[in-house]
Amino acid sequence: MPELPEVQTVVTTLRQFVLNARITSAILLRTDICIPSGIDLPAKLTGRSISAIDRRAKRIVFTLDTGERFYIHLGMTGQLLVVDPQTPVAKHTHLIADCRLRIADSKAGAPGKPYAIAQLRFVDPRRFGGIWWLGESADDPNALGPEPLTLRTAALAKRLARPRRPIKSALLDQSLIAGLGNIYVDEALFAAGLHPLTLACDLSPAQVAKLSRAIKQTLRSAIQAGGSTLRDYVNANGQRGQYQSRHRVYDRANQPCRRCKTPIARIVLGGRSTHFCPQCQNRD
DNA sequence: GTCCATGTTCTTTA
DNA sequence: CTAAAGAACATGGA
């Protein structure tokens, strides 16, 4: 579910509801979903209001009114939903937080009542995702590369100059550039006309420039479409993304290239399915 | 039963 | 040191 466009869409939709909301109670149904272990997350959240919701790479970072922070990573199948408290609790729901919303800030709630209660729920069947408590630590300790949308071409070139590895693998490396995943790497490489096996260090300056533009353009279009829903992904409203219908290579093996009709190829690279057009993405 | 899946991290191997 | 390959995590759909 979650590459940069999907995570950004979740953040945007979350803000509409729970930004500045106060958490009146919280239940952690699976304590091992919260890291580090031993953190009493409900105690940390109860009585706090949510001052900010931001995206860093594929992480959704919450800032509380105390200045403390935590982030949620959706892993492969995570969902972060804002629902009416009456909604039946789905299987694999790990966190439920009651949020008191000011009516002025949202359309939820009955007329005449100053507040409405909504529930923020984290659901993740495969549990590759989780909740990381950061507290007041200024820096989050895990090294993440720069944000793709603001990365300058020159900086990207510098980062790609070293690795003697396929460009596809390099772009999936979150310490090199943070936020791309399997879908958008394949899509960006198509948009840039680059073969996924091309070594990162072999790219010409012109190719890096084209790639830099392709990454940004692909991500922006995907964000505009609300991300891609292959299976589980929905935003905080429970709505699916629309960008999957515009994929040019991802999950399109053997289907005709939308540009040249050549059948899209699928190989396995770094253990991940990799899709490309053998005609449009030549190697040289 | 089999294979595959939008992610990350660790181990082994070269 | 670099990086590739494989496995691991856990669940569910085709």
Side-chain angles (χ1 to χ4, degrees):
Chain A
M1 341 199 9
E3 299 183 31
L4 190 154
E6 289 76 34
V7 177
Q8 182 62 54
T9 304
V10 171
V11 166
T12 305
T13 49
L14 272 179
R15 281 177 181 154
Q16 296 167 359
F17 292 98
V18 297
L19 187 61
N20 297 321
R22 190 164 299 275
I23 301 169
T24 55
S25 64
I27 310 170
L28 193 60
L29 291 96
R30 262 202 91 102
T31 52
D32 63 357
I33 207 76
C34 187
I35 297 152
S37 59
I39 291 285
D40 186 350
L41 190 68
K44 294 280 191 190
L45 298 182
T46 302
R48 305 276 56 86
S49 68
I50 300 171
S51 307
I53 306 170
D54 299 293
R55 181 189 60 74
R56 169 66 176 115
K58 301 175 189 172
R59 301 170 177 181
I60 301 164
V61 186
F62 292 82
T63 305
L64 302 175
D65 54 4
T66 55
E68 295 175 302
R69 294 181 307 153
F70 66 95
Y71 71 83
I72 290 180
H73 195 297
L74 299 175
M76 202 84 104
T77 54
Q79 298 180 333
L80 206 42
L81 301 163
V82 178
V83 298
D84 184 284
Q86 309 283 326
T87 310
V89 176
K91 201 174 171 182
H92 307 298
T93 298
H94 306 314
L95 174 73
I96 300 177
D98 286 293
C99 298
R100 193 179 64 189
L101 322 177
R102 255 198 283 274
I103 295 283
D105 297 343
S106 76
K107 295 185 188 81
K113 289 188 183 175
Y115 297 106
I117 296 290
Q119 282 186 346
L120 178 62
R121 297 182 185 176
F122 176 49
V123 183
D124 183 12
R126 286 172 78 178
R127 273 181 277 135
F128 289 174
I131 306 170
W132 279 260
W133 180 258
L134 298 171
E136 290 179 313
S137 57
D139 270 350
D140 90 48
N142 299 334
L144 278 180
E147 286 290 325
L149 286 170
T150 50
L151 182 60
R152 319 269 309 230
T153 299
L156 178 63
K158 197 173 178 183
R159 298 197 146 246
L160 294 177
R162 291 193 171 275
R164 251 197 116 58
R165 52 198 295 212
I167 185 62
K168 157 104 188 197
S169 307
L171 294 178
L172 280 176
D173 182 342
Q174 301 295 300
S175 67
L176 201 148
I177 180 169
L180 298 174
N182 211 30
I183 296 174
Y184 298 106
V185 167
D186 282 4
E187 292 298 315
L189 288 176
F190 176 87
L194 291 173
H195 193 291
L197 287 172
T198 310
L199 296 188
C201 59
D202 286 348
L203 294 183
S204 70
Q207 287 177 314
V208 175
K210 197 169 180 189
L211 176 59
S212 179
R213 284 193 299 273
I215 289 171
K216 294 179 175 77
Q217 190 178 48
T218 301
L219 293 176
R220 284 199 197 102
S221 302
I223 290 169
Q224 205 159 19
S228 303
T229 296
L230 276 69
R231 182 195 216 102
D232 305 287
Y233 164 71
V234 288
N235 67 21
N237 297 314
Q239 297 166 324
R240 299 159 58 83
Q242 298 298 317
Y243 194 71
Q244 64 281 359
S245 64
R246 288 163 54 189
H247 290 174
R248 287 175 284 183
V249 287
Y250 186 84
D251 205 22
R252 296 195 66 243
N254 302 316
Q255 296 178 51
C257 172
R258 298 200 152 134
R259 187 186 287 161
C260 75
K261 309 296 179 209
T262 303
I264 298 301
R266 177 187 177 277
I267 60 173
V268 174
L269 206 169
R272 315 296 301 276
S273 275
T274 298
H275 315 77
F276 63 98
C277 171
Q279 181 70 34
C280 299
Q281 295 167 265
N282 50 355
R283 212 133 89 92
D284 53 18

